[in-house]
Structures are given as C-alpha cells and as structure tokens.
Amino acid sequence: MNISMTGRNIELTDAIKEHIASSIDTLKKFNLDIISVNVVASSQTKKGKEHAVVEFVINLAHKNTIVINQHDVDLYVAIDLATERAQKALRRLHDKVTDHQKVGLNEIKAENVDVKAEAEKMEDEIIPVELNLYKPREVEDVLEDLKESGKMFEIFLDNENKTRVLYKRNDGKFGLY
C-alpha cells in the first residue's frame, strides 16, 4: 500500500504525519486490496475563521475509489473523523464482498437438482407436543402448584373444559377467573 501525504497551506509536522500513518494503518484490518491512500491536509479560511480540511482518496483493486472530505476546526479531529468515515465505508464494502447469502430455490433450479426434495429440506419441521396446560386439572391442585412456585397466576383447563385463571391478589388471597 502506497501512502502519500500532502499539505496545502499547512506544514505537515512529524507528529501530524505519524497520526495520519497510524490512522491509515487501521484501514488494513478490512483485508481489502488497498493500492494507495492519498491524504491531502489543507487549511482554509471561511467567514474569517480558520478550519482544517482533510481529504482521503483510497484506491482499491478491482473496486471504485473512495473519496472522503472532512472539515473541522482542529486538524487532528478532522483526521480522526475522516478515518472513522473511511472505516465505515470499507466495512460496508467488506461486508458486501464477504456476505454469504442463503441458497434459494432459483439457484437450486439452475443446478438441475430435485427441487421438491431440496424444498422439503429447507422447510421447518413442526412437531406437535401435548402440553400439560391443556389437560383438565382440579382447582385445588393448581392452587397448591401456585403456592409452591411463587408465580403470580396460572392458566389451566378445569374438569368442564373451561379455561380458568387462578391468580394471587394484592392482599395475599387468591382469585379465580
């Protein structure tokens, strides 16, 4: 990776160059083939106020060039903000390149595989389970379970197959709905 640093209307000191170099090193973690990074730091005056402008031009192999312009009063802050924006752009590009999408039915059809067998594999299998909730229970049994468990309420079917709710009231007594 080639790194070039240019200063316009500003002198790039060793500290600034080192800060830029360490910021650019953080871009290597995305494992993209970065050919070169050109950094242009300049100072401009707008409405009587001085502010720094940092421009990153990142050339990637087989990809588009990423250009980031960042303005701020402080040069170091502008470099940090431009680096964050470059990391975000490279992260998006990296995620797009390495995204592993699920194979759909259209891709399976293109491979001339048995579509019905593959579709059955992709479906969720539903296994019915009989819950204890739907077995008829006596109110006294549910009351004992509620006292032991510390729950606030219990929903159950009584012997007449009516859905009932046994709940603990605020005064410590129990209610039946």
Side-chain angles (χ1 to χ4, degrees):
M1 170 171 48
N2 296 328
I3 300 173
S4 69
M5 298 178 217
T6 308
R8 293 184 186 153
N9 300 329
I10 194 169
E11 182 183 343
L12 294 180
T13 63
D14 291 336
I16 294 172
K17 288 180 183 179
E18 188 175 311
H19 188 71
I20 292 171
S22 66
S23 297
I24 292 173
D25 283 340
T26 63
L27 304 178
K28 292 179 183 178
K29 67 181 177 184
F30 296 104
N31 296 328
L32 295 172
D33 194 11
I34 300 174
I35 297 171
S36 65
V37 178
N38 299 324
V39 181
V40 178
S42 61
S43 177
Q44 294 180 352
T45 304
K46 265 191 181 175
K47 297 181 182 177
K49 293 185 179 179
E50 284 277 326
H51 67 279
V53 178
V54 176
E55 179 182 59
F56 280 26
V57 179
I58 304 169
N59 295 314
L60 300 170
H62 311 294
K63 305 277 187 282
N64 293 334
T65 301
I66 298 172
V67 179
I68 296 171
N69 289 314
Q70 185 64 47
H71 302 266
D72 201 285
V73 177
D74 186 20
L75 179 62
Y76 288 100
V77 174
I79 293 169
D80 291 340
L81 291 173
T83 304
E84 287 177 16
R85 290 178 58 199
Q87 287 175 349
K88 188 175 183 179
L90 291 175
R91 186 180 315 112
R92 285 182 184 159
L93 189 60
H94 173 64
D95 291 345
K96 190 184 293 184
V97 169
T98 61
D99 191 20
H100 302 288
Q101 297 183 358
K102 295 181 181 177
V103 177
L105 289 177
N106 291 334
E107 288 83 8
I108 295 171
K109 287 178 185 176
E111 295 174 0
N112 293 326
V113 179
D114 184 18
V115 177
K116 289 183 181 178
E118 291 297 324
E120 288 174 4
K121 286 182 186 177
M122 296 173 104
E123 289 183 9
D124 293 333
E125 185 177 351
I126 299 173
I127 301 171
V129 177
E130 188 173 336
L131 299 175
N132 293 333
L133 174 70
Y134 299 113
K135 293 181 180 176
R137 297 175 63 192
E138 292 287 331
V139 176
E140 291 80 18
D141 296 336
V142 177
L143 180 62
E144 291 298 322
D145 291 344
L146 188 62
K147 286 180 181 178
E148 291 175 8
S149 68
K151 295 180 185 176
M152 295 301 293
F153 64 91
E154 187 76 38
I155 301 172
F156 65 100
L157 291 176
D158 65 2
N159 289 335
E160 298 171 1
N161 280 336
K162 290 184 181 178
T163 304
R164 307 294 298 259
V165 178
L166 185 65
Y167 60 95
K168 191 181 286 186
R169 297 177 11 170
N170 289 338
D171 60 2
K173 297 181 181 177
F174 293 92
L176 181 63
Y177 178 73

